[in-house]
Amino acid sequence: MINLNEFAEEVHENAVAHGWWEEERGFGEVIALCHSELSEALEEYRNDQGFLYYNGEKPEGIAVELADCIIRILDWCGKEGVDIEAILQRKHKYNKTRPYRHGGKRI
């Protein structure tokens, strides 16, 4: 199984090596970039492009855009030294204790 904390460090090191942290990014910018990846996933869905296809060597599709969002999140976690594995486990454990469709929301 993949160690998310190690992967986050690797993702961040790659982002640094490719120049994406030459200037400090604010938290708001990181969140906006995550939003843009999710918007790209929605566009792939709206255009009925499927979950995974290739444009030459480059993977494209809904799943790829979702992965891009996760990569951006892990990049930030790697930069900040966030123990994302522990947080995910703690939050999932809590979510399992919540009542059915908690909060009264419809979706």
Side-chain angles (χ1 to χ4, degrees):
M1 182 169 201
I2 191 169
N3 179 306
L4 282 179
N5 292 326
E6 290 175 7
F7 189 58
E9 288 177 24
E10 184 179 328
V11 164
H12 181 63
E13 288 170 6
N14 186 60
V16 169
H18 285 87
W20 295 112
W21 286 97
E22 285 181 356
E23 295 181 21
E24 185 66 22
R25 287 188 163 155
F27 184 71
E29 182 179 357
V30 172
I31 295 300
L33 290 167
C34 291
H35 277 279
S36 72
E37 300 298 353
L38 294 172
S39 294
E40 289 174 14
L42 180 58
E43 286 305 306
E44 292 284 350
Y45 174 80
R46 286 179 172 166
N47 293 327
D48 200 25
Q49 294 295 322
F51 290 102
L52 175 65
Y53 63 94
Y54 290 88
N55 183 2
E57 294 283 318
K58 183 181 180 192
E60 302 277 359
I62 297 165
V64 174
E65 299 305 337
L66 293 174
D68 281 342
C69 183
I70 294 168
I71 287 169
R72 290 203 181 271
I73 292 167
L74 291 176
D75 177 24
W76 182 83
C77 290
K79 176 185 179 295
E80 297 296 324
V82 172
D83 184 348
I84 192 62
E85 281 191 5
I87 293 169
L88 283 169
Q89 290 170 352
R90 185 171 293 137
K91 180 61 170 138
H92 179 59
K93 183 179 178 181
Y94 171 74
N95 285 349
K96 291 192 303 186
T97 70
R98 300 184 87 171
Y100 182 78
R101 296 187 67 129
H102 60 278
K105 297 178 178 78
R106 298 183 67 186
I107 56 172

